[in-house]
Structures are given as C-alpha cells and as structure tokens.
Amino acid sequence: MIAETGLIALWIAAAFAALQACLGLAVLKAGGEDLMRAVRPVAIAQAVMTATAFGALLLVFYRTDLSVKLVVDDSATTLPTLYRITGAWGNHEGSMLMWVTILALAGAAVALFERRLPERTLAATIAAQGVIALGFFAFLLFSSNPFARVYDVPAEGNGFNPLLQDPGLAFHPPTLYVGYVGLSVAFSFAVGALLTRDVGPAFARAMRPWVLGAWMFLTLGITAGSYWAYYELGWGGWWFWDPTENASLMPWLAATALLHSVTVLATRDGLRAWTVMLAVVAFSMSMVGTFLVRSGVLTSVHAFALDPRRGAFILVLLALYIGGALALFGARIATVSEGNRFEPVSREGALVVNNLLLSVILAIVLIGTLYPLFTEAMGTKVSVGPPYFNATAGPIALILVAVMAAGPVMRWRRDQIVAVGKRIAIPAVLVIVALAVALWWAPGLHILPLLGLALAAGTAAASVAPLWKRNLRRTPLFTWGMVVAHFGVAVSLAGMASESAFTQETLVAARPGEMVRVGPYAVRFAAIEPVAGENYTAVQATLVATRGTATPITLRPAQRTFDNPPQQTSESAIATRPDGQLYTVVGEPVPGGRWQLRLWWKPFVTLIWLGGTLIAIGGALSLIGRSLPRRRKAEEQSGFARFR
C-alpha cells in the first residue's frame, strides 16, 4: 500500500499543480482577493502531497520492498542502510521525483514567504511554478512512474551502482537539485514580471534571494561533486569536462551572471532586459542539463536514463518552457524600459563585462558539450575533451578573474581610470611580484598556471579592498559575503594553478617490499592482502610513506569487487598535509608478483575545494544579509558600495 499511497499522492499533487496554475492565471486576468487567498494554500497543498509521494519512495527503499520495480532495479537487502535510502534518488525515476519535490517545496516557500511582489506579479509567478511542476508531474506519471509494481517478486534486488555507494554522492544530488530548482523560481519571477510588465528594482529585490540561494547550493553541489570524482573514481583528477559535469557548470555560469546583473537592477535600476533574459537562460541551462543526463544521449555514472522516449519528453518540455518564455520575452521586451544609464568606467560597466565573459564561457562549454552529440547524429563520432575547454575557456576565465578583482573597487555610475588605477595598485604590484617569484622558482611553467598563480595573489588582495578603512563591526553582512566569495575565487584559482603546475606522478609495477618515490615522499609497498567489506570483497595494499623526519603515513588503497551488481571499483587512499595531498591507487596484478601502483603528489590541491566552500559561504552571508529587514533597508537607502 505504501507504493500506491505514493502514486495517489503524486496524482493529487499534479491536480493541485494544475489548479495552482489556473488560479494564478485567473488572478492575473481578473484580480480578486478571494482568488489570491486560494492560490497560496493550493501551492502549499501541492508541496505536501509531493513530499508525501517522495516520503513513500524513501520508505519502500528503506524497507527494500521488492514488489516495486524501481527497488528491484536499484537496491538489495544486502546494502548498508545509508545506501538503501539514498538509492531512492540514485536512479532516473527517483531523482526526477526528488527534483519535483524540491520544485514543489520551493513553490510553497514563494507562496508562504514572498511579500515584496505586487499581488498580480506574485500570482503570475506562482502560476508559472505550477505550470513547470505540471509538466514534470506528467513526465513522472506517464513516462517514469517510480511506484510501478512487479508481479513476479524476486528474492533479491539487482543492487546499487557501487560507484554511487559513497556518502559524498549520497548528499551531492540533493544539493545540486536545490540549485537547479532555485533557478526555476528565478525563471518564474521573470515570467511573472514580463506578464505584468513589472520589471524593476522591486522585482529584482524579490528575486535576488532566490538567485543567491540557488547559486550557493549549485556552488556547493559542484564543489562536492568535484571532490567526489577526485577521491572516488581513482583517476587522480578533479575536473574532466565530462558532459555531466558541464551539465551542472552551465547553469552555474548563467546563475553567476544573473546574480551580478540582478544586483545592478535591484540597487541601481539598470540592466532590466538583460536580467530577465539571464533568468530565462539560467533555467534553460538547468533544463538542458536535465535533458543531457536523462535522455539517454550520454553514458555516464551520472546519466540515469537510457530510454530515448524519455529524452523526447524532456525535449518537448524544454521547448515549451524555454520557447514560451523566449516568445514572451520577445513580445514584451518593448515594454521593458531601459533603466538608468551608466558610464563604461563604473561598477556597472565592470559587471557588464563580467556578464559578457561569463556568457562567452557558457557558450564555449555549451558548444563543446553538444557538438559531439550533433556530429554523432550525423554519423561521425568526435571527442571534445580537456584540450579544447582548457585552451578556449581558460584564458577567458583568467580575464574574468581580473575584471572581478577590479569591479568592487569602482564607483557606481561613473569613475575615473586614474582613480581606479590607484585603488588597484597594490593588487597589481602583487601580481607582478607573484609572477616574478613563480618564474624564478619554476622557470618552465606553462603560461596558464603561471598567470593563474599571479592573478590569484592579486585577486586575494583586491577582494579584501572593500573593507579598507571601514568599521568592520558595522560593515553589512552582504559586503562580507562579497569579500569572502571573491577571496574564495582567488583561493580556488591558486589551487587549480598549483595542481596544474606542480603535480608529480609515478606509475610503476612493484613487488611488496619495494620502495617508490613521488614528489617529496618515499613510499614503501609494505603488503597486499584480501579484505571483506559489508557488501564487497577487496584486495588492499598497505603503503608506508615517509618524508624527511616526519612521522610515516600508512595508506591503504584497494580494488573492491561487488557481486550485486558485478563491478570492480578502485578506492584511492589519500593523505592530506598543509602543503598538498599524497594520492595513491593500486591497480591490477602483473606477471612476476608485481602490482600496478599509481602515486601522485599534488601541492596545494585542497585549495580548490577550500575556495569553492568559501565561495558558497560568501553566498550564504550575502543571502542572510539581504534577508534581514534592517540590513535590506540600509542597502536601499545607501547602496552597498564602499566607493560611491
């Protein structure tokens, strides 16, 4: 009965979504307090029923109910409890139900807490959320029912993908989905504002917390996903430009541009049409990502569906939502006034350049991701990998960081080049000094990591410049958020450049007892032995690494073998030290009693994820700062700029 309860709740939620859309549009057309009072409870009821359906799915997975097809396909009684639960969203149907649940909860939150939008605009926004939800309910109910039964109940399920049996990936998808769905709210706000011709600072101030929240969760999700790929896949890298990685990066790039654009609109009443367009583009990228990983056009550990019919369904939704929004944008753009003007040398000017550079990188990633799919459809297989992305997106990203460093020290509306030059003199000197030190210390460095290291030093200094001569205790929280986020970019950039420039790798076939060197470490291959886990067996190596007179480190990389489903995974062993990580992997046996060993020394690689975490913390500080009434009032009265 649990599965049937979930399915019924899903149907009721779909009906509420339809009612929500109809009531919202009725308010938009005819107005009326009675109708408006009905919209909010319906949105909340939809969220309650959707959450009930998702709760039912969690329960059937927790109980390993093998009469449910999805449980049979993606779980087993032998799984540890954590993965019996997280298996609920480690597949196509469950992940889509989670997607819709977060969407419904977000719609309910808008209905409950949003008080800044005019009534008609709010009604149109809630209606747009209802229409989006309705499409995905249809997708679940007619194409991807998570509660479908099997009538020949097996004694055991088919198990759960071993690569997904990791705490990091258990919590990574929900984080990412909150980011995706947050962008759907920004999209609905944009549609609502276009329908009511109410694009202005008030609309931007209402939308900004949602964009900030989505951007923060996307940042966390991408950072967590990157670290998961780094330690779990055993390949020694942290970003491969895999299409599924790009599927999350593209909405983040668009959301970053939107975040800065909506700030200009909220505080300076500029970039009206551009902000609305970015809101549409950001959600479009979420939809494109959803299509890529669930259409069957990709094969990846993240790509859950291999059924082209499902891909066609999502493609139709993509065309309806995005095509409809673009058509509305085209029809109403003439009614969106230009907003306040500004000089090219100004903070608004820097933010426009920032937006354009982000858009160019987004276009590069989108083209590089889709091009192999188009050529394959035409009968030719091509591969677009890191060489393309690094060569094209890398230099533009460095220019973007330089603009980001200069932007916060510029005045709103109009500034002087000479004055800006004086303000960024110290960061510029730091860039030159870092460049000289790097060239002296490692003269053979590639140009990109060399510039990355130099820019990281200058950006770190520039990011704290807005705090100069301020009373730090009275500095608004959102200014702290901007400082922390920009400083996080510098930290992350330093980590990427260090990892690219200084990583050392050793690949050998060694016998137990032999010594191997990598970077500053001497690593003794002490032993290799079989071990047994909760639902796997493994061959585990014992490596003892020594560095000078420091206490030896023992690492135990392993090759795990799972029976259900049959699969082998490589489990890396990593030692973290203040100046980097020693990363070890044991491979296959080779003749002569030897085993493949792969060792990396990665100086300062942890800065990549520390920087990502700082960026997300900066977003959280800004979100809190802009949500506090007193802070918001102060911002509206004086703007948040130190340099006015």
Side-chain angles (χ1 to χ4, degrees):
M1 282 301 292
I2 296 172
E4 282 70 26
T5 301
L7 187 58
I8 291 169
L10 209 52
W11 275 103
I12 295 173
F16 276 128
L19 184 58
Q20 175 182 328
C22 292
L23 285 173
L25 292 174
V27 173
L28 178 66
K29 186 175 181 181
E33 290 186 4
D34 291 342
L35 277 176
M36 191 62 210
R37 277 198 292 271
V39 171
R40 296 180 192 269
V42 169
I44 295 166
Q46 188 219 133
V48 170
M49 296 314 297
T50 314
T52 301
F54 188 64
L57 186 70
L58 291 178
L59 197 54
V60 295
F61 265 85
Y62 173 71
R63 299 175 62 170
T64 319
D65 182 350
L66 295 173
S67 67
V68 177
K69 183 176 182 302
L70 197 59
V71 179
V72 175
D73 291 341
D74 293 285
S75 189
T77 57
T78 54
L79 278 176
T81 303
L82 175 65
Y83 305 124
R84 278 194 283 125
I85 296 172
T86 59
W89 59 82
N91 53 74
H92 168 76
E93 291 85 350
S95 66
M96 288 306 299
L97 181 52
M98 172 184 276
W99 206 102
V100 175
T101 302
I102 297 173
L103 181 72
L105 292 174
V110 171
L112 269 174
F113 302 117
E114 184 51 57
R115 295 289 184 272
R116 287 166 289 190
L117 284 178
E119 186 177 272
R120 292 183 70 246
T121 306
L122 177 61
T125 300
I126 294 176
Q129 278 291 104
V131 171
I132 295 172
L134 194 58
F136 282 96
F137 281 127
F139 178 65
L140 276 170
L141 292 168
F142 299 122
S143 172
S144 304
N145 178 11
F147 299 106
R149 291 282 193 184
V150 291
Y151 297 101
D152 188 9
V153 178
E156 185 53 279
N158 297 328
F160 186 43
N161 186 340
L163 284 175
L164 304 183
Q165 295 181 35
D166 178 84
L169 205 70
F171 300 106
H172 159 60
T175 311
L176 214 51
Y177 286 6
V178 172
Y180 284 156
V181 173
L183 293 179
S184 80
V185 177
F187 173 84
S188 296
F189 268 75
V191 170
L194 284 172
L195 285 172
T196 56
R197 299 178 174 86
D198 188 21
V199 179
F203 146 77
R205 281 194 285 272
M207 184 173 75
R208 183 168 51 187
W210 296 95
V211 178
L212 258 173
W215 179 82
M216 180 185 71
F217 277 100
L218 267 177
T219 305
L220 276 178
I222 292 171
T223 303
S226 165
Y227 193 64
W228 168 81
Y230 173 75
Y231 74 77
E232 177 63 21
L233 298 184
W235 60 292
W238 53 275
W239 195 264
F240 192 65
W241 295 105
D242 180 88
T244 50
E245 293 175 337
N246 295 345
S248 62
L249 178 63
M250 289 186 289
W252 185 86
L253 290 167
T256 306
L258 174 60
L259 183 61
H260 291 87
S261 177
V262 79
T263 296
V264 174
L265 178 52
T267 59
R268 298 291 157 174
D269 193 14
L271 304 180
R272 289 185 173 189
W274 179 246
T275 301
V276 172
M277 174 56 86
L278 279 177
V280 174
V281 170
F283 183 58
S284 303
M285 292 301 104
S286 290
M287 291 288 293
V288 168
T290 304
F291 168 72
L292 285 175
V293 299
R294 288 172 179 77
S295 63
V297 299
L298 298 177
T299 301
S300 164
V301 66
H302 302 88
F304 295 128
L306 295 175
D307 183 353
R309 290 173 302 176
R310 294 171 173 175
F313 204 124
I314 295 177
L315 204 57
V316 170
L317 290 180
L318 181 68
L320 286 175
Y321 293 155
I322 308 308
L326 290 176
L328 179 63
F329 180 81
R332 294 291 170 87
I333 186 60
T335 66
V336 179
S337 58
E338 184 182 2
N340 290 329
R341 293 190 173 187
F342 49 86
E343 296 295 324
V345 182
S346 63
R347 183 179 289 200
E348 290 97 327
L351 288 172
V352 168
V353 175
N354 159 297
N355 271 220
L356 292 175
L357 291 172
L358 282 166
S359 301
V360 171
I361 296 173
L362 172 59
I364 288 171
V365 177
L366 183 63
I367 292 169
T369 304
L370 297 183
Y371 180 69
L373 303 179
F374 284 124
T375 58
E376 187 170 353
M378 302 296 289
T380 305
K381 270 197 168 186
V382 299
S383 175
V384 178
Y388 160 78
F389 291 105
N390 292 338
T392 53
I396 298 172
L398 291 179
I399 298 171
L400 174 67
V401 171
V403 175
M404 184 203 77
V409 301
M410 299 174 79
R411 296 178 191 275
W412 289 108
R413 300 204 189 289
R414 181 185 302 151
D415 208 337
Q416 302 296 321
I417 293 179
V418 175
V420 174
K422 288 179 181 176
R423 292 184 208 124
I424 62 171
I426 293 176
V429 169
L430 278 176
V431 169
I432 295 170
V433 171
L435 201 60
V437 171
L439 283 171
W440 169 76
W441 191 52
L445 280 183
H446 188 271
I447 185 68
L448 282 182
L450 177 66
L451 292 175
L453 286 169
L455 266 178
T459 304
S463 63
V464 298
L467 300 178
W468 180 249
K469 293 183 179 179
R470 270 185 181 271
N471 181 338
L472 298 183
R473 293 179 62 185
R474 297 181 63 84
T475 300
L477 204 53
F478 43 77
T479 301
W480 279 106
M482 178 187 67
V483 168
V484 171
H486 285 194
F487 188 78
V489 171
V491 171
S492 201
L493 178 61
M496 294 174 195
S498 296
E499 199 271 347
S500 300
F502 306 123
T503 290
Q504 297 179 47
E505 179 184 5
T506 299
L507 176 61
V508 296
R511 292 191 186 90
E514 291 185 351
M515 189 71 79
V516 182
R517 294 203 67 89
V518 60
Y521 284 94
V523 181
R524 185 169 64 85
F525 184 11
I528 189 157
E529 56 192 354
V531 295
E534 195 169 351
N535 62 334
Y536 62 85
T537 58
V539 177
Q540 179 177 279
T542 300
L543 306 176
V544 180
T546 56
R547 179 182 184 181
T549 58
T551 304
I553 311 164
T554 300
L555 300 106
R556 292 189 171 85
Q559 285 282 334
R560 290 181 181 173
T561 301
F562 293 80
D563 293 329
N564 188 21
Q567 189 169 332
Q568 193 170 60
T569 65
S570 180
E571 299 295 318
S572 63
I574 301 172
T576 301
R577 293 296 178 267
D579 59 343
Q581 287 190 328
L582 176 61
Y583 187 113
T584 64
V585 174
V586 62
E588 299 294 329
V590 295
R594 297 174 184 270
W595 288 78
Q596 295 174 350
L597 287 181
R598 200 159 192 169
L599 315 174
W600 286 272
W601 167 241
K602 294 175 171 292
F604 302 106
V605 67
T606 47
L607 294 181
I608 296 172
W609 302 290
L610 174 61
T613 306
L614 285 174
I615 296 169
I617 290 173
L621 291 176
S622 294
L623 180 60
I624 295 169
R626 295 191 186 287
S627 301
L628 296 176
R630 193 171 59 178
R631 299 284 190 185
R632 194 168 61 241
K633 185 178 178 183
E635 172 206 347
E636 289 166 4
Q637 288 177 344
S638 62
F640 64 80
R642 168 69 178 83
F643 302 96
R644 300 189 67 199

